[in-house]
Amino acid sequence: KLFVSHFMSHGVTPKQYERILQKATKLSFKKGHILVRSGDKLDKVYLVAEGATRALVLGRFVTAASTNPDTKGDQKAGGDSGAWIGEMAFLDRLWELEQGKTNEASKKVAEAAIYTIVCDEDCTVLSWTHEDMAELMGSSTDLRSALTRAMTSALVGKVVNLTVSRTQHGLPHWSTWLSDWGSNSSAKVTLRSESQPRLAEDKQSNRPATA
């Protein structure tokens, strides 16, 4: 189910998905646990595999950065954009490292979280360090492209869902909450095929993984 909803449509093959899971740390949290607090340094990428979360910023509930039964599937214009957490910080860091704009000292400083993310029910969450996610992306061109699409889709989905929510409910403009988007991190991620190999498993068709 997780493969189909968050990976397959972006070009991740079943074999690649197995590699992604092998690099992940599986975490379990009880309802009420604060997964990420606004202002915390984001040095990991999270994907909510099971359960529901609630995102809060400036005292407001933000559906676009939350995941629950009402956001899953195609129920929201921007999809289940809140299932991914910390993807913008990772993509921004990856771009900086590859462009040589990050020195050794600043490599240890991660971008601060915009939202506070609270578990609305018991949750199962997959977590990757920036180093592990970068290693996955560096292993092949196809996997890099697919993971970039998956995370960029979540970023775009957040903007779409925030904009729709503002239109429907008269909330403050999403730019007041996402001022860090000014640099458009996702647009800075480039795919450099000449430096990365293609593995045999990358050429497989995107068939759903069997249970």
Side-chain angles (χ1 to χ4, degrees), residues 73-142:
D74 298 323
Q75 298 184 80
K76 296 292 181 181
D80 190 20
S81 57
W84 285 97
I85 302 169
E87 74 282 7
M88 179 171 68
F90 166 72
L91 291 173
D92 189 52
R93 175 62 45 159
L94 181 67
W95 182 83
E96 288 181 347
L97 291 173
E98 293 186 343
Q99 298 300 314
K101 293 189 176 183
T102 306
N103 56 37
E104 289 299 324
S106 63
K107 285 180 184 178
K108 300 178 181 179
V109 181
E111 186 174 319
I114 299 171
Y115 313 100
T116 292
I117 309 289
V118 181
C119 295
D120 240 8
E121 57 187 46
D122 293 354
C123 291
T124 299
V125 179
L126 300 182
S127 169
W128 298 266
T129 65
H130 283 186
E131 292 75 18
D132 282 343
M133 186 60 79
E135 184 178 335
L136 280 168
M137 284 193 158
S139 64
S140 79
T141 301
D142 289 349

Side-chain angles (χ1 to χ4, degrees), residues 5-6 10 63-66 70-84 150-165:
S5 58
H6 294 289
H10 301 294
T63 302
S66 307
D70 293 332
T71 67
K72 297 184 186 303
D74 298 323
Q75 298 184 80
K76 296 292 181 181
D80 190 20
S81 57
W84 285 97
M151 284 186 268
T152 302
S153 176
L155 291 171
V156 174
K158 285 182 172 72
V159 175
V160 170
N161 287 336
L162 280 166
T163 303
V164 170
S165 178

Side-chain angles (χ1 to χ4, degrees), residues 175-190:
S175 62
T176 65
W177 295 336
L178 297 180
S179 58
D180 288 344
W181 278 70
S183 59
N184 193 8
S185 306
S186 59
K188 297 186 293 187
V189 178
T190 55

